[in-house]
Amino acid sequence: MSAAASDPFFQPSYVVSRERLLATGQGLASRLGLTVDSRALAERGPAGETLALDFMIFGARRPRHALVISSGTHGVEGYTGSAVQHYLASRILPRLELGPDTAIILQHANNPYGFAFSRRVNEGNVDYNRNFLERFDPQKVSADYELLYDILNPPDLDPARETSRWEEAQRFIDRTSLRHFQQVAVEGQYKYPQGMQFGGHAPQAGTRHLLALVAEHLSQASTVIWLDFHTGLGDFGACELITGAAAGSESHRFSQEVWSGAVKSASSGESVSTPLNGLLDRGVEAALPAQCRLAFAYPEFGTYPMERVVRAIRADNWLHAHGVPGDATGKAVSAELLEALRPDNPRWRRMIIDKGAQLVDQALAHLPGVSRQGAPGPSSA
Ligand SMILES: [Zn+2]
């Protein structure tokens, strides 16, 4: 596929992406069947547009077997996840036949506020992928996060003070390790609402909506395969499949079966990700019927070196805690966050679409009741 051919799948904004995906879906409704369940947030987008989670269910109304492709858990990363959804809707779905018990579900933006405002967090400065907990402890934070608080959450971006903060960070890394620094910075903390990687004090509206959509529409499911797309960790354009499920668990084993042994558990130390609190896949698994098999992977696509990505996320957090979004500094900070998590690079985008298509193909091959038009696959029911 040429670079030019992959670019149409990356959309210019949340609202354009949402409207186009809903329109493409409507075009498939008569052939596949389509149910759309949209749950809106109270907040509106930058131009007053609706911000919603949109469960687009192609095929069975109450599926026994479902593939779910979700995007935008980390808001701005939804540019990339939605590009795979646009590819799927325009290139793969038109050629699929679905059996009476099978559905393919596109969930456009798990965190529509963050997508619309090009932030990683949601309307409450919450990292949505640390918010899937049943109980919240507002004192939960590591001692090292508190030690590094001003380094992770600077009150200003004054160049001289920034230099000394990064020197202090480097001394911490020398004393411990880069991986430990990563763990402290990103594992999720529940004490400081203005701090980086805040996991919330309660389930967020989007969290409640997503779990309600799962509980309602997947109440009859016995097989669920789920991909939730992310960016920002790893080498440029490389993809690692991560799960929050414990290594060796039933869900991890099924995920390994679907994606040929490539899924790494975040809790095991084998992944580019360090262990994380309150992950979406843990919430989803709890919301599914007890007997349902779940294969879940977060495809994590690398962009730039970790220090650049951490600096960008950290500066964006500073902007919304202390700066002026929309002034010259604010615009530069927002533009850098976008670049750090969605590189403006045709080669990178082509890698995402190619790999995304492959991951979807692997999932479809393990989903009962799927056949390609004119050429039934081995797993067709
Ligand atoms: Zn992410």
Side-chain angles (χ1 to χ4, degrees), residues 72-75 77 120 127 129-130 228-233 298-300 341:
T73 297
H74 285 139
E77 298 173 22
R120 201 170 166 279
D127 183 322
N129 209 23
R130 307 289 180 271
D228 184 56
F229 283 86
H230 288 254
T231 61
L233 204 51
Y298 300 101
E300 177 73 68
L341 297 173

